[in-house]
Amino acid sequence: MTAQAVELEDGTVRVGSIFFDPAQILGKGCEGTFVFKGRFDNRDVAVKRVLNADISVADREVELLRESDEHPNVIRYFCMEQDRQFRYIALEFCQATLQDYVDGRYVNPKLDAITMLRQATLGLLHLHTLEIVHRDIKPHNVLISMPGRRGDVRAMISDFGLCKKLKVGRMSFSRRSGVAGTEGWIAPEMMEGDRSNTCAVDVFSLGCVYHFVLSRGHHPFGDSFHRQGNIQSGRFDLSRLGEREVTARSLVERMVQRDPSRRPPTQAVLRHPLFWGRERALAFLQDVSDRVDKEDGDAALVESLERGRAEVVRGNWHEWLDEKVQEDLRKHRTYNGRQVRDLLRALRNKKHHYNELPEDIKAMYGRIPDQVRQVSPSPFTRVFYILRTLSLSFSSLWITGYPDSPAWWYTAGTQCTPSSQSQPSRSTLIRTSTSSRCVNFET
Ligand SMILES: Nc1ncnc2c1ncn2[C@@H]1O[C@H](COP(=O)(O)OP(=O)(O)O)[C@@H](O)[C@H]1O
Ligand SMILES: [Mg+2]
């Protein structure tokens, strides 16, 4: 059914049940696409106007949105109208993109980058569960919602123009000379004309987005001129992720692997320690400490733990602590400042006996573990960074009975697959059994 675009007296354009203001452009896409601020059913919406020449794109975009938008981290679709020239798609109105956030055009002190990335990943996982590959994941296509009642905002996956539903081979198509996506964010296998793109192409682009956000605007494959070339040759540089982002570094490194089968599945990405809360991280480290602390402890385990020592203890971990904290530690026993094991031991003991500490020392450690960030610069914060680093040295450990240990977050061969192969069951994606093949991602 074709409607007619009518210009109203105040300059608003009405097409069927959609209204928009042609002067309020929210964004421009490719191939003549414009996004305007508008109204539908008495609410603010974004109206994406796509040329009818791109009819298959618009129709498919809407079809996939209808199927998948029931997720808080996927852009919500309301309605589509058309006239002779255009398709008009009414979408949930958003205040910014992740690109705006990184560029500093959108500022929200309450917004936590890791939370945004986690939400975007949840949205993507939802698509992947429906066997939809997005194929154009980049900061422009992750939108930030309007604030909810409590002022909270959500990150959402948007722009389904290039999405492809696995299994429906006929739907496969491409927009720009055979290659879908945006240069600089495209997985290498897509550039090489591999048509059997799997969800791994999105994991690749998402890894670049993680890096871009956490390093405040740096791409792991360099400046825009050399980017796609570097992607093709697998040359990335993660040094812009500093000491604080060391956990992120270990994840991004896996996500941007040139070989798609070495990238973690989307589900596994969400299981990485980057998304662990502090409480969970602390509990994990404590458990590890219990394991390695026994006199007759597992020698191989201890050896593996100490292998990452240089980066963790940096000579002597005592020296990273405040004098008062060092003193407090000395009061109870001697800890070897060159050992990771003793660092863990100290952490565990402090956690156990936290309530017995004098108030001033408690304040120095910070309230365990949730206030650690606020009590900065506290020596405990420093310990915490050391400990986050430490999770790197656990990466090759296999800790029996601990399904969430980093050794388990990544199991190879569980990436969602193209139509020709059978889809792994959900239980494979969330595998926690001991039979899976583990990839050692120790650096
Ligand atoms: N729902 C929305 N709310 C606010 N701005 C939007 C919305 N959708 C898109 N935009 C803006 O318009 C730009 C282009 O839209 P997009 O759907 O990505 O089009 P294209 O498929 O051509 O890339 C986005 O990068 C964003 O800046
Ligand atoms: Mg876009």
Side-chain angles (χ1 to χ4, degrees):
M1 281 268 286
T2 308
Q4 204 167 4
V6 188
E7 189 174 338
L8 307 179
E9 264 179 21
D10 62 355
T12 308
V13 175
R14 175 190 171 166
V15 200
S17 52
I18 296 177
F19 297 77
F20 69 89
D21 179 355
Q24 280 198 64
I25 299 172
L26 299 175
K28 287 182 197 169
C30 48
E31 327 256 317
T33 297
F34 274 81
V35 181
F36 303 103
K37 172 119 195 258
R39 301 278 293 171
F40 167 75
D41 196 20
N42 259 336
R43 65 171 100 210
D44 284 334
V45 291
V47 178
K48 181 166 172 174
R49 192 187 71 184
V50 184
L51 270 170
N52 266 344
D54 255 347
I55 213 159
S56 60
V57 182
D59 288 354
R60 209 176 23 140
E61 179 162 1
V62 166
E63 193 182 312
L64 292 172
L65 272 167
R66 270 198 203 111
E67 189 181 325
S68 61
D69 77 342
E70 270 178 39
H71 189 280
N73 305 115
V74 172
I75 187 87
R76 200 167 155 206
Y77 158 81
F78 294 115
C79 160
M80 184 175 85
E81 299 280 4
Q82 64 186 87
D83 63 15
R84 270 186 306 155
Q85 222 185 337
F86 302 106
R87 291 274 204 275
Y88 303 84
I89 309 171
L91 300 164
E92 177 174 351
F93 173 64
C94 293
Q95 54 179 335
T97 69
L98 213 45
Q99 180 75 44
D100 296 329
Y101 170 68
V102 171
D103 291 345
R105 281 194 301 272
Y106 167 76
V107 181
N108 179 349
K110 281 212 295 203
L111 193 138
D112 169 51
I114 303 270
T115 305
M116 287 284 117
L117 294 176
R118 184 169 167 274
Q119 291 183 354
T121 312
L122 284 167
L124 190 62
L125 175 64
H126 175 66
L127 298 185
H128 288 177
T129 308
L130 297 171
E131 302 184 346
I132 296 170
V133 188
H134 188 283
R135 304 202 299 171
D136 200 13
I137 295 292
K138 59 176 176 177
H140 284 104
N141 287 341
V142 179
L143 303 185
I144 300 173
S145 75
M146 293 300 286
R149 269 194 212 115
R150 286 194 214 103
D152 49 313
V153 295
R154 279 170 291 124
M156 282 178 295
I157 301 288
S158 84
D159 192 357
F160 284 47
L162 292 176
C163 279
K164 183 169 158 183
K165 176 105 180 161
L166 298 172
K167 281 194 176 145
V168 192
R170 273 174 289 116
M171 273 187 170
S172 112
F173 90 119
S174 54
R175 220 171 353 175
R176 290 175 207 81
S177 60
V179 180
T182 305
E183 204 170 285
W185 302 91
I186 308 176
E189 66 273 21
M190 277 174 83
M191 279 308 254
E192 281 154 12
D194 181 351
R195 307 243 154 205
S196 63
N197 313 138
T198 66
C199 302
V201 303
D202 290 341
V203 172
F204 179 90
S205 310
L206 191 66
C208 296
V209 171
Y210 277 26
H211 187 283
F212 192 74
V213 171
L214 295 174
S215 68
R216 289 261 148 206
H218 295 280
H219 196 289
F221 291 91
D223 63 59
S224 53
F225 188 70
H226 298 101
R227 215 171 268 175
Q228 197 63 44
N230 284 339
I231 288 178
Q232 294 318 117
S233 46
R235 267 199 306 269
F236 58 82
D237 172 13
L238 307 181
S239 60
R240 294 277 186 171
L241 293 178
E243 189 196 332
R244 281 168 177 248
E245 287 89 20
V246 70
T247 315
R249 215 192 304 161
S250 76
L251 175 58
V252 170
E253 187 178 355
R254 302 311 311 177
M255 295 172 81
V256 301
Q257 286 293 308
R258 203 183 181 296
D259 174 358
S261 71
R262 290 183 58 82
R263 295 175 208 147
T266 322
Q267 175 73 54
V269 170
L270 288 162
R271 290 163 53 80
H272 189 272
L274 179 65
F275 300 115
W276 290 6
R278 275 149 196 273
E279 214 153 328
R280 188 166 166 205
L282 199 56
F284 169 71
L285 294 170
Q286 228 179 307
D287 282 2
V288 176
S289 178
D290 290 343
R291 273 292 302 281
V292 297
D293 214 17
K294 300 191 191 89
E295 284 301 321
D296 57 346
D298 182 339
L301 195 67
V302 174
E303 195 196 314
S304 177
L305 176 67
E306 298 294 340
R307 217 182 297 144
R309 167 159 50 200
E311 196 175 354
V312 179
V313 304
R314 306 266 178 93
N316 184 337
W317 57 263
H318 284 293
E319 285 163 18
W320 296 101
L321 301 175
D322 187 278
E323 185 55 47
K324 273 206 161 155
V325 174
Q326 290 187 42
E327 207 177 290
D328 172 61
L329 285 173
R330 272 198 302 270
K331 245 191 259 166
H332 302 279
R333 57 163 298 160
T334 322
Y335 294 99
N336 186 336
R338 298 183 195 284
Q339 270 184 11
V340 174
R341 180 163 69 167
D342 271 28
L343 173 61
L344 281 183
R345 189 178 268 162
L347 174 91
R348 186 196 52 185
N349 291 345
K350 284 298 121 185
K351 173 118 194 299
H352 273 179
H353 301 286
Y354 184 69
N355 287 328
E356 298 150 31
L357 290 171
E359 287 305 317
D360 59 330
I361 300 284
K362 259 189 200 169
M364 299 206 74
Y365 280 109
R367 234 188 53 209
I368 296 175
D370 49 311
Q371 272 195 358
V372 169
R373 198 174 283 168
Q374 283 91 310
V375 195
S376 182
S378 105
F380 193 83
T381 313
R382 177 67 217 171
V383 176
F384 211 86
Y385 290 132
I386 297 173
L387 291 168
R388 276 164 73 104
T389 314
L390 196 59
S391 66
L392 268 185
S393 58
F394 289 136
S395 57
S396 64
L397 291 186
W398 191 279
I399 296 166
T400 326
Y402 211 105
D404 286 325
S405 83
W408 282 13
W409 78 270
Y410 179 62
T411 50
T414 52
Q415 194 64 256
C416 86
T417 48
S419 49
S420 55
Q421 291 159 37
S422 64
Q423 183 70 13
S425 66
R426 256 187 96 69
S427 62
T428 328
L429 290 168
I430 316 172
R431 167 160 39 198
T432 53
S433 81
T434 49
S435 60
S436 50
R437 190 154 55 91
C438 235
V439 173
N440 179 348
F441 62 96
E442 197 175 45
T443 42

